[in-house]
Amino acid sequence: MATVVLVGTLDTKGEEYAWLRERLREYGSDVLLVDIGVLPPPAHAPAADIPADVVARAAGHDLAALRAAGDRGAAVAAMADGLTRVVLDLHHQGKLHAVLAAAGSGGSAIAAQAMRALPIGVPKVLVSTMAGGDVAPYVDSSDLTMMYSVVDISGINSVSSHILGNAAAAAAGMARRQERSYEELAGPRRKVVAATMFGVTTPAVDAARARLAELGYEVLVFHATGAGGRAVEKLAADGLLDGVLDLTTTELADELVGGVLSAGPDRLTAAGAAAIPQVVAPGALDMVNFGPAESVPERFAGRRFLVHNPTVTLMRTTAREMAALGAMLGHKLAAARGPAELYWPLRGLSAVDMTDAPFADPVADRTGLDALRATVCGSGVRLHEVDAHINDASFAVTMADRLHQMIGERAASQAAR
């Protein structure tokens, strides 16, 4: 029977969790109830299968000491860490097919952290009083499903019964599907490659994707808008990728300069840490992304801009910024534990960076290449300088073919051990 791990603060929401557990059982799920409440639950609260003190100990904390300290923030952080360890352990044991929680702000923060740590594809449902606002801090790049509770999680009434009932039905259905997917994953599968794309690098990624599909790969394409880059990092860290064709690394420019599409400082690190073969290009490093033109910070007045559409304004990176980006690429790839190669197109980095195009700047591009070359000198990173534009099909196919070779070499090396 598929198991739903039901996570909640039984010190304040025992009635609601007893009700949710019964609904899940009615819908055909086994239930593991995990208590993440900091205070002792009242006598009428349902008994937890995994009590709060066990959750705290999972992260090396003593629940009694947390209570005595009276620091709610520290207690929430400790329970979040403990719950993360608990759900990951349950998942590794095959005892978790979905996670469900219903909470206010504190409980949502605890549950969401643990849910985000689970691999993409594992069902995660969070009913929250916070879902009516900005959910990015809870969801980030995960596939967490949030439902707005409408009313507070305080008793079962004519509104909450509908919403919590829907959530329970959704989690039970997802759990059954996940149980079947475990069986499907046990069989043979195609190798999976992630590719990164922007509108201005689409022709290249289309050509690479077609070539990789021809070679038998499943290709997952991610829009390099911050969340897309973080999703690639998450999949790589979870061990769900066989290779990465990181053709569009533009999010690094936003991180460096202060654009709106940064994927954070850890972009371009997970594949290297997991020794996953990666072939990288400086796709769209010629630009930093902002919202509407009027939203561009005043400190950038006088720079070269291109209004991509009414909601996106692009700013050309300078020679100094390109030098920093070239060095950043080099340092990140040099730190990789697995094979990493970089292909630099000498005729332009995006659809708007070529002869007579708005962002044409050979000097800036060359400065980035020079910094990259200096950074990887003496490292194990191979740098290919290609006399082509990034959107030339030949450039993209060359990258795809090389990634295919690297994946094969890694598989042969693993088989020989």
Side-chain angles (χ1 to χ4, degrees):
M1 185 180 292
T3 301
V4 175
V5 174
L6 184 59
V7 175
T9 51
L10 301 188
D11 53 355
T12 60
K13 294 176 172 52
E15 175 191 357
E16 296 82 357
Y17 274 88
W19 190 91
L20 276 168
R21 183 171 61 182
E22 291 309 307
R23 299 294 80 70
L24 287 166
R25 288 171 174 168
E26 286 177 7
Y27 299 144
S29 293
D30 196 2
V31 182
L32 276 176
L33 181 57
V34 182
D35 184 12
I36 56 171
V38 176
L39 300 177
H44 63 269
D49 298 294
I50 301 179
D53 61 335
V54 173
V55 175
R57 282 201 304 272
H61 296 280
D62 179 78
L63 185 57
L66 290 172
R67 289 170 178 164
D71 186 338
R72 187 174 186 275
V76 167
M79 296 305 286
D81 290 343
L83 179 64
T84 299
R85 295 172 185 268
V86 167
V87 298
L88 286 175
D89 186 52
L90 290 171
H91 174 255
H92 292 152
Q93 295 177 46
K95 298 178 180 179
L96 181 155
H97 300 96
V99 183
L100 171 63
S105 59
S108 293
I110 296 171
Q113 177 178 314
M115 290 179 180
R116 289 194 306 270
L118 288 165
I120 288 174
V122 177
K124 317 158 183 72
V125 181
L126 174 58
V127 182
S128 174
T129 59
M130 306 301 290
D134 179 11
V135 300
Y138 301 97
V139 177
D140 194 32
S141 58
S142 75
D143 56 343
L144 190 162
T145 300
M146 288 191 76
M147 296 174 62
Y148 182 42
S149 63
V150 182
V151 294
D152 204 347
I153 312 296
S154 180
I156 302 300
N157 52 58
S158 60
V159 175
S160 65
S161 60
H162 282 297
I163 294 165
L164 294 177
N166 288 341
M174 290 178 179
R176 287 195 296 274
R177 172 65 184 86
Q178 183 69 6
E179 185 181 33
R180 289 196 296 270
S181 74
Y182 284 165
E183 298 172 2
E184 294 167 4
L185 289 172
R189 68 171 182 88
R190 287 190 294 166
K191 290 187 179 296
V192 179
V193 167
T196 52
M197 185 174 78
F198 228 28
V200 292
T201 60
T202 295
V205 177
D206 283 348
R209 178 169 55 85
R211 177 58 175 158
L212 288 166
E214 184 180 279
L215 293 168
Y217 293 92
E218 179 182 5
V219 183
L220 311 178
V221 179
F222 296 84
H223 201 189
T225 55
R230 291 193 300 273
V232 172
E233 301 299 311
K234 170 70 172 168
L235 286 168
D238 289 343
L240 300 178
L241 300 177
D242 297 288
V244 178
L245 189 93
D246 218 337
L247 193 144
T248 309
T249 48
T250 185
E251 291 152 319
L252 298 179
D254 284 60
E255 173 68 12
L256 174 72
V257 182
V260 298
L261 299 185
S262 168
D266 294 331
R267 179 72 172 91
L268 202 63
T269 61
I276 296 170
Q278 52 184 330
V279 176
V280 180
L285 282 187
D286 56 308
M287 61 187 64
V288 179
N289 296 267
F290 296 101
E294 60 273 16
S295 71
V296 178
E298 291 184 7
R299 67 180 183 276
F300 296 119
R303 295 283 294 269
R304 195 187 330 178
F305 293 98
L306 175 64
V307 177
H308 187 62
N309 60 48
T311 60
V312 176
T313 304
L314 310 177
M315 182 178 75
R316 170 69 216 206
T317 44
T318 65
R320 178 178 294 182
E321 290 162 354
M322 285 298 299
L325 289 167
M328 183 186 298
L329 276 173
H331 286 303
K332 286 177 178 286
L333 293 184
R337 295 176 53 247
E341 300 190 7
L342 197 140
Y343 284 72
W344 190 286
L346 297 174
R347 295 181 180 269
L349 312 183
S350 79
V352 295
D353 178 25
M354 61 175 66
T355 303
D356 298 326
F359 279 1
D361 192 339
V363 172
D365 292 351
R366 173 61 65 175
T367 303
L369 175 58
D370 289 344
L372 171 65
R373 190 187 295 120
T375 304
V376 300
C377 181
S379 73
V381 179
R382 290 182 60 187
L383 171 61
H384 306 265
E385 300 177 28
V386 185
D387 186 20
H389 185 269
I390 196 164
N391 282 330
D392 289 346
S394 60
F395 178 81
V397 170
T398 297
M399 289 184 65
D401 284 341
R402 181 58 187 139
L403 181 61
H404 172 59
Q405 293 171 355
M406 291 163 66
I407 292 171
E409 290 165 0
R410 184 191 187 214
S413 176
Q414 291 175 330
R417 292 175 185 170

